[in-house]
Amino acid sequence: MKKAFSLIVVFLAITTIAFAQKGVIKFTKESHDFGKVPQGTPVTYTFEFTNTGTDPVVISSAQPSCGCTTPDWTKSAVLPGQKGFVKATYNAAAMGSFNKNVTVVSNAERASIPLNLTGEVIAKEGQSTAAATPAAAPAVEKGKKKGKTSR
């Protein structure tokens, strides 16, 4: 009887430890739309989060989906109930719409969390869009044959 009781106690202890809540990152929002961004103007958004778990959270990395996005984040441990951040700066060099991600990797319950940045890069005010439009090919005169010159 003592062995059975001991086994039950050990089983319950292991089960409790296995299902214990660890650090939990809860972002206020996981995506941000910059709207229209003038070309050549970097834009930054700071994603804020709270550790709603019972253990400290440490972000080991924030990996951007491309070289045009630069992340920064809280480097120290975020204790339960405390706040942290992941800041993402997008270099708006290429015209057109964009959809970029920064993947946050941590020791939290959700070990990998993608954060999304969207928007549209437009020409700066006063900047000509002619540079972005290819020039028309020169027209060929009718009646002249290619490769022959008249003397």
Side-chain angles (χ1 to χ4, degrees):
M1 183 69 177
K2 284 184 178 182
K3 283 186 179 182
F5 181 74
S6 295
L7 285 173
I8 291 172
V9 169
V10 169
F11 175 76
L12 289 174
I14 291 173
T15 305
T16 303
I17 291 170
F19 288 106
Q21 187 180 32
K22 33 200 253 185
V24 177
I25 292 179
K26 177 70 175 157
F27 280 96
T28 51
K29 62 189 244 186
E30 293 184 11
S31 65
H32 179 72
D33 184 0
F34 286 108
K36 296 190 184 303
V37 179
Q39 186 176 19
T41 306
V43 288
T44 300
Y45 184 76
T46 302
F47 294 94
E48 295 180 352
F49 69 89
T50 303
N51 178 358
T52 61
T54 57
D55 290 342
V57 169
V58 177
I59 296 176
S60 56
S61 70
Q63 302 166 343
S65 58
C66 71
C68 58
T69 307
T70 307
D72 187 22
W73 62 92
T74 303
K75 304 290 194 280
S76 59
V78 179
L79 301 175
Q82 298 295 310
K83 294 185 179 293
F85 71 90
V86 175
K87 182 167 59 171
T89 301
Y90 174 69
N91 180 13
M95 297 257 300
S97 61
F98 63 90
N99 185 359
K100 304 298 178 185
N101 289 318
V102 174
T103 303
V104 178
V105 179
S106 71
N107 66 334
E109 191 173 74
R110 260 176 81 193
S112 176
I113 301 172
L115 303 175
N116 188 257
L117 301 170
T118 58
E120 181 182 2
V121 178
I122 59 171
K124 265 189 179 172
E125 201 170 300
Q127 179 180 341
S128 171
T129 56
T133 308
V140 177
E141 288 184 39
K142 291 183 181 181
K144 289 192 176 182
K145 294 185 178 181
K146 289 184 185 177
K148 293 191 177 187
T149 58
S150 58
R151 290 185 192 176

